[in-house]
Amino acid sequence: GALDSSRELSADEIKPIILGATESGHAGNNVIWNMFFQADPYGNENPGRWLSSLTQRKIKPPHTGVAFAHHHFRCCNHVQALKAYEESGQHPIVHLCKAVTYLQYALNLKDDGKRNYLLIRAFASLHCYSERLGFRALPLGLYYYNLARSFHQLGLLHFAAETYNKALKSQGVGRSIERSAAHNLAMIYKSAGAEELASDIIKKHLVI
């Protein structure tokens, strides 16, 4: 049946919807998984244990592997998250999730050697993400935006600014991504004392 959007469902109420997804055809619906992860509390059963049991099924609800990986990421179990993402196919979003996981894993390490290796893997995953986007004819600006955010998070502000600009110059990037990229770029310019450049970006992309 239709979901009642007037109230929040508990995880225990959402689980049967997920389990019925393969039969109902309602699934593959990311909204259901988002509701599961936002449910508070998760329910009486450990979510990781429940998700793990789903991965063992011969017929799994759609996106089970990715959901299991997301759970590990939320728990900062980066190694397990990466393993689960590796087993979740070649969709562009999977490569993007891998890139974010490698990046977060790297930022939590003090060992420069391993940190640099993980950063290389992060950008390699972003490259795979961009290739998959191109193959699927999706906006390249989305790739530039995510790449810019990675540079930004690493503190590589020159590269972040250049790549945010590429995202803003790309066609079909979408209004929400445009506004977010413009906001981040304006903040970088302001932090560098380039108030005029920041003002130009705000006027062009943020002022209605």
Side-chain angles (χ1 to χ4, degrees):
L3 294 175
D4 179 4
S5 60
S6 64
R7 69 180 183 87
E8 292 185 2
L9 299 179
S10 71
D12 286 334
E13 291 176 297
I14 297 169
K15 287 176 183 178
I17 302 174
I18 292 173
L19 292 174
T22 49
E23 293 83 23
S24 68
H26 170 31
N29 194 336
N30 294 330
V31 173
I32 305 300
W33 281 112
N34 287 338
M35 290 172 64
F36 174 76
F37 281 112
Q38 290 169 12
D40 188 22
Y42 275 114
N44 297 324
E45 188 177 7
N46 180 292
R49 189 179 302 125
W50 184 73
L51 288 167
S52 179
S53 72
L54 291 188
T55 65
Q56 306 305 313
R57 293 182 172 218
K58 186 173 292 186
I59 300 177
K60 307 174 183 65
H63 309 319
T64 297
V66 175
F68 191 38
H70 286 350
H71 167 71
H72 282 303
F73 179 82
R74 284 162 58 101
C75 296
C76 296
N77 297 328
H78 298 114
V79 173
Q80 292 301 317
L82 288 167
K83 181 180 178 182
Y85 285 131
E86 287 287 350
E87 297 171 354
S88 296
Q90 297 296 316
H91 192 280
I93 293 300
V94 173
H95 287 292
L96 178 59
C97 289
K98 285 166 59 178
V100 172
T101 305
Y102 277 123
L103 187 60
Q104 289 298 318
Y105 190 8
L107 292 174
N108 288 335
L109 293 178
K110 294 182 179 179
D111 182 336
D112 287 341
K114 189 170 183 179
R115 186 172 183 265
N116 290 338
Y117 166 77
L118 292 171
L119 290 174
I120 291 170
R121 295 298 299 269
F123 285 104
S125 294
L126 275 173
H127 179 69
C128 290
Y129 167 68
S130 69
E131 286 189 331
R132 294 284 168 176
L133 280 181
F135 178 76
R136 294 167 63 90
L138 293 176
L140 190 59
L142 189 59
Y143 162 70
Y144 285 132
Y145 171 72
N146 285 304
L147 181 60
R149 287 187 63 192
S150 299
F151 285 137
H152 201 166
Q153 193 167 5
L154 289 169
L156 302 173
L157 301 185
H158 173 74
F159 292 113
E162 181 180 345
T163 316
Y164 279 132
N165 269 307
K166 287 184 178 180
L168 291 172
K169 291 175 183 176
S170 300
Q171 294 183 347
V173 72
R175 182 60 177 153
S176 62
I177 296 297
E178 178 191 359
R179 289 180 63 84
S180 182
H183 174 269
N184 293 346
L185 179 57
M187 292 301 100
I188 290 174
Y189 284 151
K190 283 186 176 181
S191 69
E195 295 288 342
E196 188 173 340
L197 287 174
S199 179
D200 288 344
I201 291 295
I202 291 170
K203 289 176 182 177
K204 185 173 181 180
H205 298 282
L206 297 176
V207 176
I208 299 176

